[in-house]
Amino acid sequence: MITPTRRIQVSIPRNPYEIIIGKGILENIGKELANLAIPKGTKILIVSNEDVAIPYSKVFVKSLKGNGYLPTLKIIQAGESQKTPKTIADIHDAAFSAKLERGSLMIALGGGVVGDMTGFAAATWLRGIGVVQVPTTLLAMVDASIGGKTGVNHKGGKNLIGAFHQPKLVLIDPCTLKTLPKREFRAGMAEVIKYAVIGDPNLFKLLEECTSLKSLDSLTDNTIEEIIERSCLSKARIVSQDEHESGIRAVLNYGHTFGHTIEALCGYGTWLHGEAVAMGMTAIGELAIQLGSWKKDDAERQEMLLKKSCLPTKWPILEIKNVLTCLQGDKKVKRGKVRFIVPNRIGEVDIRDDISDEQIAICLKKLSKG
Ligand code: NAD
Ligand code: GLY
C-alpha cells in the first residue's frame, strides 16, 4: 500500500529544516534537494557503508544525477569501532578528492554511526558545509539523524569529540528497514518507547495496541510510519526548544544514564545501545517507584512494551561500587551530581540531580536480586 508522505518541521532558530517520511522516497532525493533550492551542478559526497550502499545507493545516485547534481560515493567500514578521528580523516580525503566547495553538500546514507560521522566531517570541512541525513536504521530515523549532534568516539569515551551541526534535511524511507537486522530494529524500538514514556501517552497506547514490536514484519506500513512520525515529532519538539542541551533536551537521556553504565561496564559491543537503554529504563523505573514518583502499574506497562520488543529488561550482574563510580564519569554529571530523568507518569518525566548514592545503591541491590 502506498502511504502519503509525512512532513515535520524542526523549528530550530536560525537552522530550521524538514523531516520527510515516506515509503520509497529514497528515489526522490534529487527532487527534494531541488525543492530546497540547492543548485544543479552542486557537488555531493554521499557517505555510506556496504550494508546500505549495496541495496540503496544505485537508486539514490540515479536520482541525484537525474536532477543535475554531481554525486561521489564514499564507502566507510561499518560499526561503532570505526567511529574514530581516522575515519573522519578518510572522509575529508574523499571531500578533497571530490573538490568539495563551500556550497557543496555531504549526505549521510546509513545508521547513526554514518550519520554522526558524516555530520562531523561536514561540520569541519571548509569550516562547515551542508549535510543531509538519510537514516536507514530505526534508531537513526527516530533519534540520531535529528537535532544536529555529530561526532566520533575518543579512547576516553563515546562521542567525546563532536560538534552541533544541524542538517538541511532529514529524509526517512521506512522501506530501508526491510534489510535491517532484527536485533538492530529492536534496539531502535527502545528509543521509540523512550519517547512514549517521556512525553507521548498516545504513542504509548499505540505501542500497547500492537501485538508485537519485535520486527518490521509484525507491523503494518501505516503503523511503522506513525511510530516513526510520532517519535520524530517528539524529538523535533524538544530540540527546537533547546538546541544545545542546556535544559529540556536532557529528557532525551531517559534510561540512558544507567544504560551508559551498562555499556561501559559490560564492555562496548556486548549490548547494543538500545538494549542497554531498555535495561536502563527498567532500572530508572524501579528507582522512580522507590522514590514514590511513579506507580508500579506504570513500570509494569513500560516493561510489557520492552518485552513485546524482545528487549532485555533484567539488570546485568555488576558490582554496585563500579556502577556508582561509572555514574560519576557520565558526560552529564554537573558539579558531582548525577542527573537522572525520572518518570512521574506515562508521558511525563522530571530532570533530577538530588538522588543520593545510598538511594541508587538500594535500587541496584533490589535489581540485582531480580
Ligand atoms: P549503526 O549505524 O552502527 O547501524 C547498525 C548496523 O546496521 C550497522 O552494521 C549498519 O551497517 C547496519 N545497517 C544500517 N542500516 C541498514 C539497513 N537499512 N539495512 C541493513 N543494514 C543496515 O547503529 P545505529 O544504532 O543506527 O546508530 C548508533 C550510533 O548512533 C551510535 O554511534 C550512537 O552514538 C549514535 N547516536 C547518535 C545520536 C545523535 O543524537 N546524534 C543519538 C543516538 C545515537
Ligand atoms: N540522543 C540525544 C540527543 O539528541 O540529545
Side-chain angles (χ1 to χ4, degrees), residues 41-45 70 72 92-105 125-126 129:
T42 298
K43 291 175 198 152
I44 297 178
L45 185 69
L70 305 174
T72 306
H92 284 159
D93 286 349
F96 183 75
S97 301
K99 299 190 170 54
L100 294 199
E101 303 156 8
R102 276 264 163 82
S104 302
L105 204 63
W125 188 247
L126 302 180
I129 66 168

Side-chain angles (χ1 to χ4, degrees), residues 276-288:
V277 168
M279 293 184 266
M281 285 196 278
T282 312
I284 192 66
E286 188 59 44
L287 185 58

Side-chain angles (χ1 to χ4, degrees), residues 163-183:
F164 283 97
H165 190 56
Q166 299 297 336
K168 288 188 175 298
L169 171 72
V170 179
L171 189 94
I172 301 178
D173 186 342
C175 289
T176 58
L177 295 175
K178 283 186 188 144
T179 49
L180 184 70
K182 287 190 169 56
R183 187 177 171 199

Side-chain angles (χ1 to χ4, degrees), residues 257-274:
T257 315
F258 279 130
H260 287 153
T261 308
I262 294 171
E263 284 182 281
L265 293 179
C266 295
Y268 288 105
T270 306
W271 296 104
L272 294 180
H273 175 69

